[in-house]
Amino acid sequence: MGVAPRRRLSPEEYLSLERASDVRHEYAGGEIFAMSVGTFEHSAVAANIGRLLRNALGDRGCTALNSDMRIKIPAAHRYVYPDGSVVCGRPEFEDERRDTLLNPVLVVEVLSESSEAYDRGDKVAHYQTVSSIREVVLASQKAPRIEVFTRQADESWVLRVYGPGDGAALSSVGCEIAVDDVYRGVFEAAVPTG
């Protein structure tokens, strides 16, 4: 006896289910995937980046968002929850619910053991298909390392890697965040006590 194939969900069905769910799911071409729980390091790095972005953006007309904001990637038929994002100017949404952003300029992913290969590969490539996205930031949760993919005027992408003592330049939002500040207290606080 064979296994019946799972029925693929339409984007509308996904959004209806997601909006009623207590658990967040990403959507990929008709399939949904539950979001895993992050580690202390993952959460601390994401929170620090969000705080630093909010402080650096000030009154520039840009808003830093946390992982609650869903992003639509139309070309890849995906809905995802980055660990952070920034929208500048007027945010555009999929519908009147205002819970699916269409025009982020920057997205942040904190790399985790279970999804690092996907985040570095396909997910970055998917983000690069969104015309409003000017930068994709990948932050390690294992070491003080930030990678910034920046869209160039000719639509190519340049990768810059930043480590301890560096300021990660984020040209899409006209600011810089210090790597040391992103990781301040992250690894020291994670050391188990006897």
Side-chain angles (χ1 to χ4, degrees):
M1 177 179 266
V3 175
R6 272 195 315 195
R7 186 176 76 79
R8 293 187 176 272
L9 298 175
S10 70
E12 296 78 18
E13 290 170 318
Y14 159 73
L15 287 172
S16 178
L17 288 171
E18 187 68 2
R19 288 169 173 160
S21 176
D22 292 334
V23 178
R24 290 187 305 173
H25 301 84
E26 291 196 346
Y27 174 90
E31 295 183 72
I32 61 172
F33 302 90
M35 301 292 295
S36 61
V37 175
T39 64
F40 170 86
E41 293 83 2
H42 185 282
S43 181
V45 169
N48 284 347
I49 291 174
R51 176 182 51 80
L52 292 167
L53 282 171
R54 279 187 295 283
N55 290 343
L57 292 172
D59 295 330
R60 296 174 193 215
C62 297
T63 304
L65 304 164
N66 67 20
S67 62
D68 291 337
M69 182 51 61
R70 184 173 42 247
I71 305 289
K72 182 177 183 180
I73 306 176
H77 308 288
R78 291 180 183 264
Y79 290 86
V80 298
Y81 291 93
D83 292 306
S85 59
V86 175
V87 62
C88 294
R90 185 170 177 243
E92 297 172 13
F93 300 100
E94 172 136 66
D95 58 30
E96 69 283 348
R97 294 289 298 267
R98 299 172 56 87
D99 59 2
T100 305
L101 185 66
L102 302 177
N103 64 331
V105 297
L106 179 148
V107 291
V108 175
E109 292 289 349
V110 178
L111 302 173
S112 60
E113 295 281 339
S114 62
S115 65
E116 183 168 353
Y118 167 65
D119 288 344
R120 286 184 176 287
D122 289 346
K123 200 166 196 182
V124 166
H126 295 322
Y127 282 139
Q128 291 173 341
T129 68
V130 179
S131 62
S132 65
I133 295 178
R134 310 312 295 168
E135 283 177 311
V136 178
V137 177
L138 302 180
S140 172
Q141 68 169 322
K142 295 187 252 180
R145 178 184 168 97
I146 295 177
E147 301 169 31
V148 180
F149 292 85
T150 304
R151 188 188 302 263
Q152 304 301 295
D154 65 359
E155 296 299 312
S156 65
W157 290 79
V158 170
L159 168 63
R160 289 189 177 82
V161 180
Y162 302 93
D166 293 337
L170 304 174
S171 60
S172 64
V173 292
C175 69
E176 180 178 287
I177 57 173
V179 174
D180 294 344
D181 290 340
V182 168
Y183 293 93
R184 188 172 316 283
V186 173
F187 303 118
E188 298 85 352
V191 174
T193 57

